[in-house]
Amino acid sequence: MTAVEPQPLTSHRATSITGRVHVPGDKSISHRALIFGALAIGRTEISGVLESEDVLATGRAVAALGAGTARLSDGQWVVTGCGTGGLAAPDQALDLGNSGTGTRLLLGVIAGHDITVTLVGDESLSQRPMQRVLTPLQQMGLEILETGRTTLPLTVRGAAQPLPITYTLPVASAQVKSAILLAALMSDGITTVIEPEPTRDHTERLMQAFGANITVSQGPAGQEIQLAGPHELVGRPISVPGDPSSAAFLIAAALLVPNSDLTIENVLVNTLRTGLFETLQEMGADITLLNVREDGGEPVADIRARSSKLKGVTVPAERAPSMIDEYPILAVMAAFASGTTKMLGLAELKVKESDRLSATASGLADNGVSVEVGDDCLTVRGMGTVPGGGTVTTHLDHRLAMAFLVMGLASDNPVTVDDATMIATSFPDFQDLMAEIGAKLSSRTEAQP
Ligand code: S3P
């Protein structure tokens, strides 16, 4: 991915956030739909694909590995797969840009193929830990060609005959679970992944839908996911619901700005992703799930959020996996609440697109919020209002940029983020959609609204 010039962006106090809108497709499901389509026999038609930088990088990668990909119209893609074990070595390195999900899931795919592949990424991705997937994948037969490397760039060789394994996840990570299950599709025997703490289950749901031989049961040490390989997947239609992690920014804007009433249609409400909504309800937020239904094997709903007075709460550590990407925006909302919010069990935040624990704390402090950061916890002392006026360093992290832009919609003074370009990794239409619902954002070259 070529580095682009940083683009600072400033948000200003808004008078109301209103409308009935859609957010783009879920990032986790979009990556997986492209990857499963590439491994399946026949055509997989996907609607609602998130066309963001991260997902497009995965689309280019599966095409480079031999799958057919075609974009029919906005969000409408067809993938023609090569069958289990049928992908081929690419001509060039796979460039995964900023995407940890794309990288880790594709490492699982590669581990199950007799091919040699180099993976590269941007500055942020090149610092993120890959050992968590390399350890189980090496047990299955993956080789790392430059011994000792644990970060991108990585050159790896997959196994001609990957071994089935039994593996207990040492960290609550859906990416690690998914990488193992993807490699297991090509192995001969039963692979068991034991999850002491449940994490998002889109891989399991999609594998079931594509016809894999997968079962999930409760064992003494947690959830046991068993996959019998080798097994062919059969291409099928997939519809991707709206991303709750993107909806979170719009919901926060509606809760914080007075006179707001916003409905976001067709949002994924899988309970392994909705820890933020649960937390917001405890904080006193006026947020309602309407028309809860099932679509394409996942629960979806329309979410209505109205201006609310929030109060501080303690967010338990065991809730972290179900809201792991939502802590920056929760911390922003906590700053406007009355009373203290304590967020526990946040160690994983340190290895996201940036060290989100310290970067969130710094961004809050730069805008006059009293905050305390521990080794795996964050305490925000909400005062009901936020002075703002700061410039936040976003460290190539899309979610930090969006969270602090939302802060400026309700703070006393505008809030600037040093670089808004990374927002395109997950939410390319963010600025337009925010403007549509009443947000005021301006770049330095534009006149102040
Ligand atoms: C994801 C899992 C989470 C999350 C990421 C997407 C996925 O990462 O933070 O944005 O699609 O599996 P971890 O598995 O590292 O927790």
Side-chain angles (χ1 to χ4, degrees):
M1 197 158 118
T2 14
V4 282
E5 276 294 295
Q7 283 170 20
L9 195 64
T10 300
S11 60
H12 307 260
R13 221 178 155 92
T15 48
S16 76
I17 296 291
T18 53
R20 213 178 161 85
V21 293
H22 284 92
V23 287
D26 186 67
K27 183 153 77 70
S28 294
I29 299 179
S30 296
H31 281 294
R32 286 162 172 79
L34 291 169
I35 291 173
F36 285 121
L39 289 170
I41 293 177
R43 276 165 67 88
T44 291
E45 285 191 30
I46 318 168
S47 60
V49 177
L50 167 65
E51 294 178 315
S52 72
E53 292 297 338
D54 272 16
V55 176
L56 294 176
T58 292
R60 286 190 292 270
V62 297
L65 289 164
T69 58
R71 181 181 187 272
L72 305 182
S73 58
D74 282 0
Q76 196 75 32
W77 285 56
V78 175
V79 181
T80 311
C82 299
T84 298
L87 295 172
D91 298 334
Q92 289 176 353
L94 302 182
D95 186 346
L96 275 313
N98 191 249
S99 179
T101 306
T103 306
R104 295 192 178 120
L105 268 54
L106 286 168
L107 278 167
V109 171
I110 295 161
H113 286 78
D114 187 11
I115 54 177
T116 298
V117 182
T118 299
L119 299 101
V120 300
D122 73 5
E123 203 186 313
S124 149
L125 183 58
S126 302
Q127 288 170 21
R128 296 186 65 188
M130 293 298 147
Q131 191 62 55
R132 52 183 55 204
V133 281
L134 296 176
T135 299
L137 295 177
Q138 282 175 294
Q139 290 174 17
M140 299 177 89
L142 183 79
E143 271 182 74
I144 302 163
L145 297 190
E146 297 135 279
T147 321
R149 277 205 71 82
T150 57
T151 52
L152 261 47
L154 271 175
T155 299
V156 295
R157 182 185 300 141
Q161 289 193 311
L163 300 169
I165 57 167
T166 293
Y167 194 78
T168 302
L169 294 182
V171 280
S173 167
Q175 295 177 356
V176 178
K177 167 175 68 174
S178 303
I180 299 168
L181 293 172
L182 281 161
L185 266 181
M186 273 72 73
S187 75
D188 192 2
I190 295 176
T191 289
T192 306
V193 180
I194 300 163
E195 263 197 320
E197 291 176 87
T199 64
R200 65 190 71 192
D201 60 357
H202 311 306
T203 295
E204 296 91 305
R205 286 172 184 257
L206 281 171
M207 279 197 171
Q208 259 146 12
F210 276 87
N213 195 346
I214 184 167
T215 57
V216 181
S217 60
Q218 197 57 42
Q223 194 142 269
E224 293 185 4
I225 303 131
Q226 292 202 310
L227 185 102
H231 203 284
E232 288 293 1
L233 304 179
V234 183
R236 50 162 294 124
I238 300 288
S239 102
V240 183
D243 194 328
S245 300
S246 297
F249 301 105
L250 281 71
I251 290 168
L255 296 177
L256 297 179
V257 173
N259 313 310
S260 296
D261 186 350
L262 179 75
T263 300
I264 308 171
E265 293 180 3
N266 199 41
V267 182
L268 174 73
V269 289
N270 179 323
T271 51
L272 294 165
R273 297 284 300 279
T274 51
L276 177 73
F277 303 155
E278 199 182 328
T279 304
L280 288 174
Q281 273 158 352
E282 289 170 8
M283 292 174 84
D286 185 348
I287 169 171
T288 331
L289 303 193
L290 303 162
N291 191 15
V292 182
R293 58 208 183 265
E294 179 100 4
D295 185 19
E298 290 277 4
V300 297
D302 304 329
I303 301 181
R304 183 174 187 192
R306 285 177 278 192
S307 320
S308 304
K309 292 238 169 302
L310 303 176
K311 61 176 194 305
V313 293
T314 295
V315 189
E318 58 274 15
R319 201 177 290 163
S322 68
M323 54 180 294
I324 194 66
D325 292 333
E326 279 66 79
Y327 284 100
I329 190 62
L330 174 63
V332 163
M333 287 188 274
F336 289 92
S338 46
T340 297
T341 294
K342 279 193 182 150
M343 296 161 239
L344 308 172
L346 304 190
E348 276 296 298
L349 283 199
K350 294 191 251 184
V351 290
K352 292 295 173 189
E353 285 82 330
S354 67
D355 173 351
R356 279 189 186 151
L357 187 53
S358 70
T360 300
S362 305
L364 291 170
D366 291 344
N367 285 286
V369 179
S370 163
V371 57
E372 213 176 283
V373 59
D375 197 37
D376 69 347
C377 60
L378 187 65
T379 303
V380 178
R381 284 181 240 293
M383 304 288 288
T385 58
V386 168
T391 295
V392 175
T393 308
T394 52
H395 305 280
L396 296 177
D397 190 328
H398 53 132
R399 298 201 200 279
L400 288 177
M402 290 186 276
F404 283 101
L405 287 169
V406 168
M407 174 180 255
L409 302 178
S411 53
D412 300 342
N413 296 288
V415 172
T416 298
V417 298
D418 65 339
D419 184 14
T421 57
M422 295 312 290
I423 292 174
T425 65
S426 69
F427 201 158
D429 299 332
F430 178 75
Q431 282 194 52
D432 288 345
L433 197 51
M434 291 301 281
E436 188 185 322
I437 61 176
K440 297 186 190 312
L441 306 176
S442 69
S443 65
R444 274 187 195 153
T445 48
E446 289 167 7
Q448 300 279 303

